[in-house]
Amino acid sequence: MKLTIVGCSGSFPGPQSPASCYLLTAHDGERAWRILLDLGSGALGAVQKYMDLQDIDGIFLSHLHPDHCMDLCGLHVAVRWDPDGWAAGRIPVWGPAATADRLATAYGLDPEPGMSEEFDFKVWTEKAAVQLGPFRITPYAVDHPMEEAYALRVEVTEYDGTGVDRTVVLSYSGDTDSCPGLVEAAQDAHFFLCEAAFQEGRDDAIKGVHLSGKRAAEAAVQAGVRRLLLTHLPVWTEPSVVVAEAKAVYPGDVAVAVAGVHYTI
């Protein structure tokens, strides 16, 4: 499985990156499949550096704050108004129950049909896995000030033609403070893509919103993950600070996500 950091800026786009969006690519033995975890503000333009929009197989939303979903409005325009026609059909979108109505409201559309002619909206059920091509995605409820917010566990078994199939797990925190659902979603993951928007000592009074590098690392240790990549840092959070916080707790490999970087998992 390949991970491409399309956007990783926390809460709003920064000068070096769009807001949250992560491209995952995996092969099922017949073709490559491409899915997006979140499509936050500013991300739609950057996605086109790495793929044709008609090759999006599915979009999986962690929650409905604009920095994680709002560029679906732009994608709606691309699908609906392509002068050459959109040959790929409706794009499956998994998300909270309010997803379709929230996006219709954001674009000033009547909820019926809203964007349902462009997107096939599907609603998360907590801990109920969904399968799309080689991807198996399971949502876990986490602690963030939205009616629904999820960490996403992505499991992939790839078939390379040699008879040796390999299953890998990527866990994506979405936005959350420390909570049991985060640890469950990350259990024994090969790769933990975890937000660290806050800094210890600066943001301690704010509860139930975001993790610090320290708290992200504590979740990584509890879950027994193999690699930790910190993401969703807003422009006022210093990467070196959250990395130092994480390294003081987590003994494994720690880094900060950078837009445009690719990882093989």
Side-chain angles (χ1 to χ4, degrees):
M1 176 167 56
K2 180 179 178 181
L3 164 67
T4 299
I5 309 297
V6 177
C8 55
S9 183
S11 301
F12 56 90
Q16 305 299 326
S17 174
S20 296
C21 183
Y22 308 94
L23 168 62
L24 297 181
T25 305
H27 208 281
D28 68 352
E30 296 182 1
R31 71 171 179 91
W33 289 71
R34 300 172 181 86
I35 66 171
L36 299 176
L37 306 183
D38 287 340
L39 188 59
S41 42
L44 184 62
V47 165
Q48 295 171 77
K49 298 177 183 177
Y50 311 110
M51 64 182 300
D52 190 293
L53 295 180
Q54 298 210 32
D55 290 333
I56 299 172
D57 288 302
I59 300 171
F60 299 83
L61 300 178
S62 63
H63 66 290
L64 296 179
H65 278 150
D67 60 315
H68 291 260
C69 71
M70 198 48 61
D71 268 25
L72 277 159
C73 289
L75 184 56
H76 151 77
V77 174
V79 175
R80 184 170 184 83
W81 299 107
D82 187 333
D84 295 322
W86 183 269
R90 291 195 300 164
I91 301 172
V93 177
W94 278 264
T99 302
D101 287 349
R102 187 72 55 84
L103 291 170
T105 298
Y107 205 74
L109 300 173
D110 190 301
E112 293 296 336
M115 297 184 184
S116 62
E117 294 177 346
E118 293 74 43
F119 303 131
D120 181 10
F121 291 106
K122 303 172 186 291
V123 176
W124 288 126
T125 298
E126 186 186 2
K127 298 184 183 180
V130 299
Q131 189 80 36
L132 183 67
F135 297 101
R136 178 180 174 88
I137 301 99
T138 307
Y140 292 82
V142 292
D143 187 12
H144 193 61
M146 289 290 291
E147 56 269 27
E148 291 183 63
Y150 298 101
L152 304 179
R153 182 180 179 87
V154 183
E155 300 169 88
V156 169
T157 300
E158 292 193 276
Y159 308 92
D160 62 6
T162 67
V164 179
D165 304 330
R166 180 171 179 263
T167 298
V168 295
V169 178
L170 176 144
S171 179
Y172 168 48
S173 67
D175 283 3
T176 182
D177 203 343
S178 301
C179 64
L182 176 64
V183 176
E184 191 173 357
Q187 194 66 48
D188 299 320
H190 296 85
F191 200 99
F192 188 23
L193 181 62
C194 188
E195 71 117 298
F198 283 173
Q199 292 178 195
E200 292 290 316
R202 186 191 67 186
D203 305 304
D204 296 353
I206 307 171
K207 306 298 183 184
V209 181
H210 289 300
L211 297 163
S212 62
K214 176 178 180 287
R215 297 202 294 274
E218 289 171 345
V221 169
Q222 292 176 56
V225 305
R226 301 187 190 181
R227 189 174 187 182
L228 175 60
L229 185 67
L230 303 175
T231 192
H232 197 272
L233 276 64
V235 296
W236 49 67
T237 292
E238 173 56 46
S240 64
V241 171
V242 294
V243 168
E245 291 176 3
K247 286 186 173 181
V249 175
Y250 177 69
D253 183 26
V254 180
V256 170
V258 175
V261 174
H262 308 275
Y263 296 88
T264 298
I265 303 166

